[in-house]
């Protein structure tokens, strides 16, 4: 297994990850306001899972190291998507004076 093969495996895993997570994002955007939200989510899950598992099966058939590289690429895309979708943390301003109690203590 060459370095190019590992890179291509990671690239294929990243492509599978993009398909899976962008498909999830698309599903949530269009399914939640729909009357048939459960059908959308169920069908999307089955389609995304079948396609992703088929891609991993195909990669595992070629060489186990490319499969591991694909898993790493898939995981990195998942982490990046979660970081992108995460709400920014609130900035706390500690420069203001503490409030005094209404009761004088």
């Amino acid at each position: 297994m060459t370095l190019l093969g590992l890179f291509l495996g990671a690239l294929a895993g990243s492509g599978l990850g993009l398909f899976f997570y962008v498909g999830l994002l698309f599903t949530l955007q269009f399914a939640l306001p729909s009357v048939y939200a459960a059908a959308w989510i169920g069908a999307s899950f089955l389609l995304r899972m079948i396609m992703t598992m088929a891609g991993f099966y195909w990669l595992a058939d070629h060489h186990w190291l490319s499969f591991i590289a694909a898993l790493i690429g898939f995981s990195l895309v998942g982490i990046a998507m979660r970081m992108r979708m995460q709400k920014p943390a609130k900035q706390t301003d500690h420069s203001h004076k503490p409030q005094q109690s209404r009761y004088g203590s």
Side-chain angles (χ1 to χ4, degrees), residues 1 5-6 9-10 13 16 52-53 55-74:
M1 173 68 33
L6 290 175
L16 288 172
T52 304
M53 287 295 128
F56 279 127
Y57 181 77
W58 182 76
L59 286 169
D61 191 39
H62 290 315
H63 201 276
W64 68 274
L65 282 176
S66 64
F67 175 70
I68 299 297
L71 283 176
I72 292 171
F74 185 87

Side-chain angles (χ1 to χ4, degrees), residues 10 18 40 44 47 51 55 63 65 82 102:
L18 279 173
W40 267 93
S44 170
L47 177 68
M51 296 297 289
H63 201 276
L65 282 176
R82 281 189 289 279
R102 291 170 49 182

Side-chain angles (χ1 to χ4, degrees), residues 14-24 47-49 51-52 77:
S14 298
L16 288 172
L18 279 173
F19 171 77
F20 188 86
Y21 290 108
V22 170
L24 175 62
L47 177 68
R48 288 181 293 116
M49 193 59 68
M51 296 297 289
T52 304
V77 168

Side-chain angles (χ1 to χ4, degrees), residues 2-97:
T2 64
L3 190 59
L4 179 63
L6 290 175
F7 176 73
L8 291 176
L11 192 64
S14 298
L16 288 172
L18 279 173
F19 171 77
F20 188 86
Y21 290 108
V22 170
L24 175 62
L25 185 63
F26 174 79
T27 300
L28 292 177
Q29 285 179 348
F30 288 99
L32 292 180
S34 173
V35 176
Y36 304 105
W40 267 93
I41 291 172
S44 170
F45 175 75
L46 282 175
L47 177 68
R48 288 181 293 116
M49 193 59 68
I50 288 170
M51 296 297 289
T52 304
M53 287 295 128
F56 279 127
Y57 181 77
W58 182 76
L59 286 169
D61 191 39
H62 290 315
H63 201 276
W64 68 274
L65 282 176
S66 64
F67 175 70
I68 299 297
L71 283 176
I72 292 171
F74 185 87
S75 300
L76 289 176
V77 168
I79 291 168
M81 289 293 285
R82 281 189 289 279
M83 288 174 63
R84 184 175 179 262
M85 300 308 292
Q86 203 172 39
K87 292 181 182 177
K90 288 185 177 181
Q91 297 286 333
T92 56
D93 185 18
H94 297 290
S95 64
H96 67 281
K97 295 180 184 177

